[in-house]
Amino acid sequence: MGKKITALKVQKKNQQRVNVYLDGEFAFGLSRIVAGWLHIGQELDDSKIVQLKDEDEQEINYQRAIRFLGYRMRSSSEIKEHLKQNGISEDIIESVVNRLERNGLIDDKQFAQLWVENRNEFRPRSHRMLLVELNKKGIHPDIINQVLNDTSADEELVFKAAENQVRKYRNLEWQEFRRKLSSFLARRGFSYSIINPVVDQIWAERDSENQSGLIKHKNYG
């Protein structure tokens, strides 16, 4: 036999939660959205109480994940790791992530595309380094390959990576210029087979562009 709901009271300190009283005594608290269908006089058996508490835990962690998303876009793996650090069970985590995906709040392909676009715009780096970064974010290899296949090639990205940096080296002699720019591009993940002809070309163009430091993208062999 179940227990009867004798009172439903909004919590004073958190008005998004409701205290449920069964047979005249406080029993448990629920998120308002979970408690929304309850009414005084309704009977709850043990299985229903367990279900309500499970739904409440899912709602709490769904809201926790949304707050985490409020800082910036996240991958599904980042959401899972964040919830795991809060001691949440795997079942609840999977339920929360699936709900976020259904509601369009997380999308690993979109995340990867925006990550690559941002890198290409502000801090260009090689496909190899982008692959490493997206792997660390837990993006599936198939998604990574698809996104990288749709972005600029390393031969184009290396020019963008060099463009702003060259301004810092405009007064250097050739050997120092070559060493510093090559090291910088290598740290961005580009191979020396790509770096070397680019550095040579940038050096050759530098004096002909009125020391402006601007690099025009040209084809090279």
Side-chain angles (χ1 to χ4, degrees), residues 88-214:
I88 311 305
S89 70
E90 291 291 340
D91 288 345
I92 295 295
I93 290 173
E94 286 301 321
S95 177
V96 168
V97 169
N98 288 339
R99 182 177 171 188
L100 290 168
E101 290 175 339
R102 290 197 305 271
N103 292 337
L105 295 176
I106 55 174
D107 182 325
D108 278 357
K109 183 177 180 181
Q110 184 181 34
F111 174 91
Q113 289 171 331
L114 292 175
W115 182 274
V116 170
E117 288 172 7
N118 183 271
R119 285 301 200 209
N120 289 353
E121 180 67 23
F122 300 106
R123 300 186 68 186
R125 57 206 57 213
S126 70
H127 281 207
R128 179 171 61 84
M129 188 168 284
L130 289 170
L131 185 150
V132 170
E133 290 179 344
L134 291 173
N135 267 323
K136 289 181 178 179
K137 296 297 181 182
I139 305 299
H140 193 279
D142 289 346
I143 294 177
I144 295 176
N145 290 335
Q146 184 176 354
V147 170
L148 293 183
N149 284 339
D150 291 338
T151 195
S152 302
D154 278 2
E155 288 81 1
E156 181 177 349
L157 292 172
V158 71
F159 273 98
K160 295 184 67 176
E163 183 172 4
N164 291 330
Q165 200 68 15
V166 166
R167 295 186 178 97
K168 299 179 181 180
Y169 306 149
R170 64 180 178 274
N171 296 321
L172 298 179
E173 296 299 324
W174 162 241
Q175 292 297 336
E176 189 69 1
F177 175 89
R178 181 177 184 180
R179 183 183 67 80
K180 287 195 171 184
L181 184 56
S182 296
S183 296
F184 170 79
L185 295 174
R187 290 194 299 272
R188 290 292 178 90
F190 297 103
S191 68
Y192 280 100
S193 63
I194 290 177
I195 291 172
N196 290 336
V198 169
V199 172
D200 290 343
Q201 181 175 335
I202 292 170
W203 175 262
E205 292 174 349
R206 194 180 64 164
D207 293 335
S208 66
E209 294 181 352
N210 299 319
Q211 305 298 321
S212 67
L214 296 178

